[in-house]
């Protein structure tokens, strides 16, 4: 199996939310990571409140450490953001949230913005919510095309959304929107919950599998859960995937010491420089 290079791996600041953004950046340098994915949320960067002057300062902090920002992921699961909402005010606010997110992404010098499909009411026909999500994604992607940014769409678990769970669902949405500026991101935790493997995802999505969130079960650090991550790496290697893998850790388990789980993950994955 081709060894995973540090140059393909990215750190993320979600489990650094009780530490300063500068501490997160310095930690990435200390770990030897060259790439980061920005979880855009309070306190580091709250999308609805951040000014473009503040965005420029954030970019300067990233660049002076010679880190590459590969993707911006605005918080959209905890916050009241839902592009498939039945209520016009919620849906319109959510669309505007992502339009600004695209502008911020451009200002930060990143080339990808990650989104999820939102959710409909579970007591209404799924197709109604699907149409609302598709229309919203079309609007967002049109802006992305203007800014030359790729939007990467992620599937969610059933407990999170009733719209997109499988690679076939992702493929359907990509086909219906039909834009070179919309591709897919696969999250290993969600993929496993859907009962899929990377073999299935690559077969369904092909080159549209643009990005990967590489975590263990429950969004734990690699090695702390029970997913067959080494098998996943083999499947990724077999398909000559050239994109990035972000270690996206979620929850309170790693809040007090956010560096240690990343050190352990690098050792578990056998990552080399």
């Amino acid at each position: 199996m081709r060894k995973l290079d540090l140059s393909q791996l990215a750190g993320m600041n979600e489990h650094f939310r009780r530490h300063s953004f500068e501490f997160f950046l310095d930690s990435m340098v200390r770990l030897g990571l060259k790439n980061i994915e920005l979880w855009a949320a309070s306190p580091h960067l709250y999308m609805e409140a951040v000014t473009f002057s503040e965005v420029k300062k954030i970019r300067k902090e990233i660049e002076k450490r010679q880190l590459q920002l590969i993707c911006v992921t605005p918080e959209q699961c905890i916050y009241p953001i839902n592009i498939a909402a039945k209520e016009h005010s919620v849906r319109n606010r959510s669309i505007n949230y992502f339009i600004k997110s695209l502008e911020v992404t451009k200002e930060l010098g990143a080339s990808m913005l990650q989104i999820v499909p939102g959710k409909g009411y579970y007591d209404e026909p799924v197709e109604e919510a699907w149409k609302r999500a598709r229309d919203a994604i079309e609007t967002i992607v049109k802006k992305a095309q203007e800014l030359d940014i790729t939007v990467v769409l992620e599937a969610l678990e059933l407990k999170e959304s009733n719209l997109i769970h499988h690679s076939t669902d992702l493929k359907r949405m990509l086909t219906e929107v039909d834009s070179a500026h919309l591709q897919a991101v696969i999250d290993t935790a969600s993929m496993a919950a859907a009962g899929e493997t990377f073999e299935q995802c690559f077969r369904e999505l092909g080159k549209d599998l643009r990005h990967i969130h590489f975590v263990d079960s429950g969004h734990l650090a690699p090695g702390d859960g029970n997913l067959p991550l080494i098998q996943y790496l083999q499947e990724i290697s077999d398909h000559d995937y050239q994109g990035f893998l972000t270690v996206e850790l979620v929850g309170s388990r790693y809040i007090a010491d956010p560096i240690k789980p990343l050190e352990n993950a690098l050792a578990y994955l056998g990552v080399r420089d």
Side-chain angles (χ1 to χ4, degrees), residues 7-215:
S7 62
Q8 277 188 280
L9 209 62
M12 197 172 186
N13 58 309
E14 186 163 358
H15 72 293
F16 281 81
R17 62 182 180 272
R18 295 291 182 264
H19 295 74
S20 68
F21 188 62
E22 291 76 16
F23 179 86
F24 161 70
L25 296 177
D26 290 338
S27 299
M28 297 301 99
V29 174
R30 170 184 162 185
L31 290 168
L33 291 168
K34 300 173 176 62
N35 311 296
I36 62 169
E37 181 168 340
L38 175 61
W39 176 64
S42 180
H44 296 161
L45 190 162
Y46 176 47
M47 199 60 75
E48 290 186 304
V50 72
T51 67
F52 282 92
S53 175
E54 291 169 331
V55 171
K56 290 179 180 178
K57 292 178 182 178
I58 291 171
R59 179 171 181 172
K60 184 177 180 181
E61 291 296 324
I62 295 170
E63 290 180 342
K64 80 177 185 180
R65 292 169 175 83
Q66 297 182 313
L67 293 168
Q68 179 183 7
L69 177 60
I70 62 162
C71 183
V72 175
T73 297
E75 176 52 55
Q76 51 203 287
C77 294
I78 300 172
Y79 292 171
I81 300 298
N82 181 9
I83 60 173
K86 192 171 185 178
E87 296 77 13
H88 290 286
S89 59
V90 177
R91 190 165 71 257
N92 288 339
R93 176 186 175 216
S94 301
I95 292 171
N96 290 334
Y97 178 82
F98 287 116
I99 295 299
K100 182 177 181 183
S101 296
L102 284 165
E103 293 168 345
V104 168
T105 299
K106 185 68 174 181
E107 190 67 36
L108 287 169
S111 61
M112 285 191 294
L113 176 81
Q114 186 258 329
I115 68 171
V116 298
K119 52 194 172 293
Y121 286 120
Y122 285 41
D123 62 342
E124 71 168 336
V126 173
E127 284 301 313
E128 294 302 312
W130 179 278
K131 291 175 184 175
R132 295 194 297 266
R134 183 190 62 210
D135 291 348
I137 291 171
E138 286 176 344
T139 300
I140 294 164
V141 170
K142 183 178 180 181
K143 181 65 174 181
Q145 183 174 351
E146 293 175 9
L147 298 175
D148 195 24
I149 293 170
T150 299
V151 174
V152 286
L153 178 64
E154 181 178 322
L156 295 173
E157 296 183 38
L158 180 59
K159 64 184 179 182
E160 300 171 305
S161 174
N162 56 348
L163 294 181
I164 294 180
H165 308 130
H166 299 87
S167 58
T168 51
D169 303 324
L170 284 168
K171 180 64 174 179
R172 178 189 167 192
M173 185 61 81
L174 266 58
T175 299
E176 291 186 11
V177 174
D178 191 23
S179 170
H181 289 268
L182 179 66
Q183 293 184 293
V185 51
I186 293 296
D187 181 293
T188 48
S190 298
M191 179 184 76
E196 291 192 308
T197 66
F198 273 108
E199 285 294 332
Q200 293 167 285
C201 292
F202 277 109
R203 183 169 62 246
E204 195 66 39
L205 296 165
K207 296 298 183 182
D208 279 326
L209 202 169
R210 172 70 181 273
H211 187 40
I212 293 173
H213 284 166
F214 198 79
V215 293

Side-chain angles (χ1 to χ4, degrees), residues 1-5 214 228-239 268-272:
M1 182 183 75
R2 178 172 58 85
K3 291 273 290 185
L4 181 65
D5 292 333
F214 198 79
L229 297 182
I230 303 305
Q231 174 190 323
Y232 290 169
L233 284 178
Q234 181 64 61
E235 294 172 358
I236 291 169
S237 178
D238 288 346
H239 287 272
Y268 175 80
L269 296 172
V271 177
R272 62 176 174 80

